[in-house]
Structure formats: structure tokens, C-alpha cells
């Protein structure tokens, strides 16, 4: 491993340690989602994916990971979501909130 990647490994270890430290503090975050988005997340959770996938490109892996994050948000909505008119309020794990924010266009 080059010295640059050794440094990246050390940085990744520090990031993981920060995650462990703040993960205990962050817990769940209450968010408000438009009902249509909450319903789409629940539909993703309820969908059955049974076909084995061929080897993935890095871009395909990112898409699959994001779809999985959406499905987990759908699980949270279906278990803990509170509908208030056109909005659904739900307590999400900080990691799920982070995944959604990272997926948003910049």
C-alpha cells in the first residue's frame, strides 16, 4: 500500500471512531416527509427482489446501496410513521438521514 493509501486508511479509521463517538449521541432524528415520498419509500420496502444480480459496476453498486437505504427508510415509515395530512413524520436513524442527504443533488 502506498503511503498515500496508508494515510487514507488512518483517516478512515479516525472517521469510524468519530462515527462511534457521535453515533451514541445522534440517535434518531425526527423528520417530516411529503406523503408521496414516504409512500414511495414504503413501496420500496415492500418490494421483493429475488433475481440474483450479475457482477456490478461501481455505479450500479451505488444505485443498489441507495435503493436499500430507501427501503430501510420505508421500513421506518411503515413501523413508526405518523401521518399528518400530506406529511409523514418519522424518527429516522441518523445514518438513514445522512444517506438521504448524500444522495440529494448538490
Amino acid at each position: 500500500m502506498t503511503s498515500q493509501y496508508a494515510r487514507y486508511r488512518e483517516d478512515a479509521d479516525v472517521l469510524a471512531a468519530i462515527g462511534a463517538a457521535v453515533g451514541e449521541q445522534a440517535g434518531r432524528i425526527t423528520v417530516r416527509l411529503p406523503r408521496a415520498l414516504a409512500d414511495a419509500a414504503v413501496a420500496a420496502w415492500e418490494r421483493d427482489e429475488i433475481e440474483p444480480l450479475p457482477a456490478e459496476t461501481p455505479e450500479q453498486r451505488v444505485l443498489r446501496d441507495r435503493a436499500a437505504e430507501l427501503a430501510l427508510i420505508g421500513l421506518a415509515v411503515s413501523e413508526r410513521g405518523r401521518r399528518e395530512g400530506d406529511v409523514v413524520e418519522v424518527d429516522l436513524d441518523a445514518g438513514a438521514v445522512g444517506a438521504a442527504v448524500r444522495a440529494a443533488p448538490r
Side-chain angles (χ1 to χ4, degrees), residues 18-106:
I18 290 171
V22 300
E24 296 172 3
Q25 299 171 49
R28 290 188 176 158
I29 300 166
T30 301
V31 298
R32 296 172 55 83
L33 301 173
R35 187 173 181 163
L37 294 178
D39 290 345
V42 171
W45 169 250
E46 293 174 343
R47 187 172 40 237
D48 287 327
E49 306 284 357
I50 56 174
E51 280 187 40
L53 296 172
E56 295 178 310
T57 66
E59 293 81 14
Q60 289 170 323
R61 183 185 50 76
V62 167
L63 289 175
R64 182 175 50 79
D65 287 348
R66 287 181 176 176
E69 290 288 352
L70 175 64
L72 292 174
I73 290 171
L75 171 62
V77 169
S78 68
E79 289 182 343
R80 301 185 298 274
R82 299 169 300 280
R83 297 185 186 278
E84 299 174 4
D86 291 339
V87 174
V88 175
E89 191 172 273
V90 63
D91 298 332
L92 294 179
D93 177 85
V97 172
V101 170
R102 283 189 300 277
R106 297 186 186 352

